Amino acid sequence: MSGVKLESIVKAYGAVQVVHGIDLEVKEKEFVVLVGPSGCGKSTTLRMVAGLEEISDGTLTIDGKVVNRIAPKDRDVAMVFQNYALYPHLDVAENIAFGLRIRKESKENIEKAIKDVAGILGLENYLERRPADLSGGQRQRVAMGRAIVRRPKVFLFDEPLSNLDAKLRTQMRAEIKRLHQRLGVTSIYVTHDQVEAMTLADRIVVMNDGRIEQVGSPMELFLNPVNAFVAGFLGAPPMNQIQAVISGGDAAPIAEFAGQQFTLPPLPGLQNAVGRKVIVGIRPEYATPQTKAVEGSVSCTLELVETLGSEALLHTTIGGEPFVIRTETLGNMDQLNAVNGFTADPALVKVFDAETGVALSGQLRVA
Amino acid sequence: MSDAVTPKPAVTPYVNKRPVSQRIVDHLKREWQIYLMLAPTVIWLLLFLYKPMYGLQIAFKDYSIFRGVAASPWIGFEHFETLFASEQFLRALKNTIYISMMSLIIGFPVPILLALMFNEILNQTFKKTAQTIVYLPHFISSVIIAGIVITAFSPSAGIVNTILSWLDVDPIYFLTKPEWFRPIFIGTTIWQEAGFQSIVFIAAISGVSPTLYESAVVDGASRWQMMWKITVPSIMPTIIIMLIIRIGNMLEVSFEMIILLYQPATYETADVVNTFIYRQGLQSGQYDFAAAAGLFNAVIAFVLVMTANSISKRYSRTSLW
């Protein structure tokens, strides 16, 4: 079982605590992504797993063995860094072989390993080049080659795609996913890019301010965020969050905002919250644009239409607050320019307590 | 919709019609602060390095201070012939090459080793104290350094002979014995300059990305392995550049220190080309002969630095130009 288990992990620099007692279990062969804004403690957590940062408190277990006091080299982990960490004076083959040479592997084994890894990553034609002569994507592949050549129990990725342009990032993301499916090694991946997290992860760990906000599969987190932070962090564009007050309705609770009313799902958590300040969360893709008032629609003022090709983002405001609608264009721009409201299925709407940010509405079923 | 293709407008290249002189004046008006900052160095170079080149011609003339440089008659390579026939010059040349080579072989790695050692010190207070101690001799005048050396090696009260006396060794007149001059001189220049020279390498080491070390730690490298497999190769371009500069200055052995430490008894091993030029030119008044020796020195230095640069460029991708 080459899983990783973090129990009440704390990291403090003197009196300043940056990671506050994290509990997380990464199962064997699982691909877990730590995601969160800058300074949330995700890289620090990863570096504690690698052994590059001392653990202030708590227990870290890799493959069933407590490794708090074990040197990085003996943890059998390999790490891919944001800036690749390639040795500029060594060619690709020697960069890949570095870890094996340090461990004094036999010459035959090293040559075979270089050949295997170069084959997997498509680096056969670049083995004699130095990092300076490679493109960003090729360097990233070499960095991954360095990690996989040792066949470690755990891969650690620290924002490995951050230095690449958008197109290359998409391509490398797919390569990492394929590589994981092929090698099946337990992986922990840190990123601040929620798209990377959604596309790569078996499970996502959303972190904020040194704490875990929520752990779950990408769709669980997308559909059922436990609080407003997770709701706002995942999804592109992020979930619209409208400040509202709950008032009682005959059949279902109603959210009132900017002089308008919106019917919420008839859930106990909401029906008992009349008069409470809440945040109504509606994902841009769950809002259906309307060009005229219909039953249950909310009026908004269109400010900007961003066309993305098959889709468009309609930037509107409700009572001065921004609200984004994602919709298909279908080539009909005139209709999009005439949008003045939207409707949304109450079942897809999330409601959060305005003070604590905790979700008040029920869970959506994950297919 | 028409299928007609709209012709692309002809692109007329931008032509700056203002005269070059006007553009230069405009540029100077715009960037005068930069040129003002550059001026002192340029003036210094012109006055002290380029203007004296005019006087180089006396190496090929029978120079007389009364006739002046221009009016003195040309004599071709006569001074050079005399120079190479002079045993004193050949001895000085041999000493220069020997001292330079030994200084390079022994003295050049010392600042690198110091920088590597400083890099390994984890206690910041100890590190800063040690750095200050090794930098300090550079800021002391060569005259004082020579005084310290002369005192230290004094046969009557010097610390070296005092220690030797504890070991029942008779006092040695170090600075009057030719065989001791070179080790003392090389040791002194290393002590005086190695610390300060190490700053360049410390700066180069601080520029090595920390993630290279972190990656190596995860791969299982020890501190020793990281030093030899990461730090040294990473600062190799700096080492090569400093080596080229050092080779270029090879024949310029620490002239002041030799003048201060040598004496006729040690000329056999201590007299170098620069001290020879000094004696011939300033003490004996043979300016033309000294200029010939100086020109020879400069030509050799030029050839050395060009060769070193070409070799480095060819094999290590690093060069001064």
Side-chain angles (χ1 to χ4, degrees):
Chain A
M1 271 289 287
S2 54
V4 179
K5 195 172 178 184
L6 293 86
E7 292 170 282
S8 307
I9 294 289
V10 172
K11 178 65 193 175
Y13 297 101
V16 182
Q17 204 175 84
V18 293
V19 176
H20 314 279
I22 278 180
D23 290 295
L24 176 69
E25 187 168 357
V26 181
K27 297 184 190 78
E28 190 180 12
K29 297 185 179 180
E30 195 177 20
F31 198 117
V32 166
V33 176
L34 306 185
V35 69
S38 294
C40 71
K42 56 191 188 298
S43 282
T44 308
T45 305
L46 190 81
R47 290 167 63 82
M48 284 193 281
V49 176
L52 297 172
E53 294 279 355
E54 209 174 307
I55 297 168
S56 306
D57 199 10
T59 308
L60 174 68
T61 312
I62 297 177
D63 197 20
K65 195 164 78 175
V66 175
V67 296
N68 287 45
R69 301 264 166 217
I70 290 183
K73 68 183 171 76
D74 299 321
R75 295 187 182 196
D76 205 3
V77 298
M79 189 157 169
V80 180
F81 292 85
Q82 181 177 350
N83 62 358
Y84 320 124
L86 299 180
Y87 304 117
H89 55 282
L90 300 180
D91 61 24
V92 169
E94 284 307 305
N95 262 290
I96 292 172
F98 186 84
L100 300 179
R101 291 208 194 282
I102 290 290
R103 284 159 196 255
K104 299 199 178 350
E105 293 271 347
S106 72
K107 206 175 169 183
E108 296 75 41
N109 280 354
I110 292 174
E111 278 173 14
K112 188 178 176 302
I114 293 171
K115 204 176 162 188
D116 290 348
V117 168
I120 292 170
L121 295 166
L123 290 168
E124 296 100 325
N125 297 328
Y126 307 104
L127 288 174
E128 288 172 8
R129 288 201 196 170
R130 290 201 182 177
D133 303 326
L134 301 174
S135 68
Q138 288 162 345
R139 285 181 206 178
Q140 191 53 59
R141 272 203 284 270
V142 179
M144 286 198 288
R146 283 192 47 181
I148 65 176
V149 75
R150 285 201 285 112
R151 302 191 179 283
K153 285 184 185 138
V154 181
F155 280 145
L156 305 172
F157 297 89
D158 189 5
E159 307 208 27
L161 307 183
S162 300
N163 287 0
L164 304 179
D165 61 51
K167 192 178 172 189
L168 206 51
R169 206 180 302 159
T170 311
Q171 190 185 327
M172 290 304 296
R173 213 165 58 202
E175 282 195 34
I176 291 175
K177 187 81 178 170
R178 272 196 289 272
L179 199 64
H180 179 253
Q181 283 167 352
R182 179 171 177 173
L183 301 174
V185 176
T186 311
S187 302
I188 305 177
Y189 187 106
V190 160
T191 182
H192 62 266
D193 182 345
Q194 57 90 27
V195 178
E196 267 172 44
M198 293 292 285
T199 50
L200 284 170
D202 293 329
R203 276 194 305 154
I204 295 176
V205 179
V206 181
M207 289 184 71
N208 184 30
D209 198 20
R211 292 183 176 82
I212 291 177
E213 295 283 347
Q214 192 174 2
V215 183
S217 72
M219 283 316 290
E220 274 171 9
L221 266 59
F222 184 77
L223 294 172
N224 296 312
V226 294
N227 56 36
F229 176 81
V230 177
F233 198 81
L234 294 176
M239 182 184 275
N240 295 297
Q241 299 190 0
I242 309 164
Q243 300 284 339
V245 176
I246 292 185
S247 63
D250 294 339
I254 289 169
E256 291 186 359
F257 49 86
Q260 303 192 67
Q261 291 191 332
F262 183 79
T263 306
L264 296 171
L267 295 164
L270 300 178
Q271 280 173 323
N272 298 334
V274 175
R276 201 165 175 178
K277 284 183 180 172
V278 292
I279 298 166
V280 177
I282 303 173
R283 292 219 174 265
E285 39 282 282
Y286 296 160
T288 309
Q290 303 293 342
T291 52
K292 56 188 174 192
V294 294
E295 191 187 344
S297 70
V298 175
S299 65
C300 59
T301 309
L302 182 66
E303 293 201 329
L304 175 73
V305 178
E306 272 188 318
T307 39
L308 309 172
S310 63
E311 290 182 325
L313 298 178
L314 311 182
H315 293 266
T316 70
T317 54
I318 301 170
E321 294 296 314
F323 189 95
V324 179
I325 302 167
R326 186 175 199 143
T327 183
E328 290 183 348
T329 56
L330 302 173
N332 196 346
M333 294 305 294
D334 289 343
Q335 198 169 348
L336 293 183
N337 285 320
V339 167
N340 58 11
F342 69 89
T343 51
D345 180 355
L348 297 172
V349 170
K350 302 299 293 180
V351 183
F352 306 98
D353 185 281
E355 277 179 29
T356 61
V358 175
L360 297 173
S361 50
Q363 297 224 324
L364 299 175
R365 191 170 59 84
V366 181
Chain B
M1 209 171 136
S2 165
D3 287 330
V5 178
T6 315
K8 281 184 186 175
V11 179
T12 42
Y14 172 74
V15 180
N16 194 334
K17 288 176 182 168
R18 288 181 310 138
V20 176
S21 57
Q22 185 59 46
R23 274 186 274 163
I24 292 172
V25 169
D26 287 351
H27 174 75
L28 289 175
K29 275 183 185 170
R30 203 171 51 244
E31 310 285 358
W32 66 270
Q33 296 96 332
I34 306 281
Y35 289 100
L36 187 68
M37 284 193 283
L38 193 65
T41 310
V42 172
I43 292 167
W44 180 84
L45 274 168
L46 291 173
L47 278 181
F48 295 101
L49 295 177
Y50 282 88
K51 186 173 172 288
M53 278 190 200
Y54 170 75
L56 274 179
Q57 57 182 294
I58 67 169
F60 305 96
K61 285 187 169 187
D62 183 12
Y63 175 68
S64 158
I65 51 170
F66 301 109
R67 282 185 295 216
V69 173
S72 297
W74 293 97
I75 55 164
F77 287 89
E78 199 177 295
H79 290 312
F80 291 91
E81 284 165 18
T82 316
L83 200 62
F84 291 112
S86 160
E87 275 186 28
Q88 278 189 23
F89 176 74
L90 294 176
R91 184 186 67 188
L93 185 62
K94 193 185 88 182
N95 285 339
T96 306
I97 293 168
Y98 187 88
I99 290 174
S100 300
M101 291 302 291
M102 294 311 288
S103 293
L104 189 72
I105 294 165
I106 303 167
F108 186 72
V110 174
I112 302 168
L113 293 172
L114 271 176
L116 291 172
M117 288 196 294
F118 285 138
N119 188 48
E120 295 301 315
I121 299 174
L122 297 176
N123 184 308
Q124 288 303 307
T125 312
F126 178 64
K127 186 176 181 174
K128 282 177 184 168
T129 310
Q131 281 178 312
T132 307
I133 289 169
V134 298
Y135 296 163
L136 206 58
H138 170 80
F139 298 100
I140 299 173
S141 155
S142 291
V143 177
I144 295 170
I145 295 279
I148 293 169
V149 172
I150 290 166
T151 308
F153 287 97
S154 156
S156 52
I159 181 132
V160 179
N161 274 309
T162 306
I163 293 167
L164 290 176
S165 71
W166 296 341
L167 305 168
D168 286 336
V169 177
D170 290 335
I172 299 169
Y173 291 70
F174 286 102
L175 291 170
T176 59
K177 291 191 177 298
E179 68 270 25
W180 280 106
F181 181 83
R182 288 166 182 164
I184 290 171
F185 170 75
I186 293 168
T188 304
T189 49
I190 290 174
W191 170 56
Q192 190 182 7
E193 294 300 335
F196 194 72
Q197 286 167 356
S198 72
I199 290 175
V200 176
F201 300 109
I202 290 168
I205 290 171
S206 68
V208 180
S209 168
T211 50
L212 293 186
Y213 296 106
E214 290 179 344
S215 174
V217 165
V218 175
D219 278 339
S222 63
R223 287 182 77 88
W224 183 253
Q225 285 172 318
M226 283 193 278
M227 184 196 285
W228 291 112
K229 289 181 185 289
I230 298 173
T231 311
V232 172
S234 297
I235 64 167
M236 196 50 83
T238 308
I239 292 175
I240 289 169
I241 294 290
M242 295 309 289
L243 184 64
I244 295 170
I245 293 170
R246 184 82 182 244
I247 288 170
N249 293 330
M250 219 166 91
L251 298 184
E252 302 287 329
V253 281
S254 188
F255 164 73
E256 280 177 8
M257 190 58 74
I258 289 186
I259 287 279
L260 291 163
L261 289 179
Y262 85 158
Q263 48 188 292
T266 52
Y267 277 2
E268 187 188 331
T269 55
D271 193 21
V272 293
V273 174
N274 278 341
T275 51
F276 175 79
I277 293 169
Y278 168 75
R279 284 204 312 280
Q280 295 299 323
L282 294 179
Q283 291 184 337
S284 307
Q286 295 181 359
Y287 301 110
D288 43 9
F289 185 60
L295 182 59
F296 172 75
N297 216 20
V299 169
I300 297 294
F302 180 72
V303 171
L304 282 174
V305 79
M306 290 294 285
T307 311
N309 193 62
S310 305
I311 294 171
S312 170
K313 201 173 188 175
R314 191 163 179 178
Y315 295 106
S316 71
R317 299 186 187 186
T318 306
S319 60
L320 269 176
W321 63 87

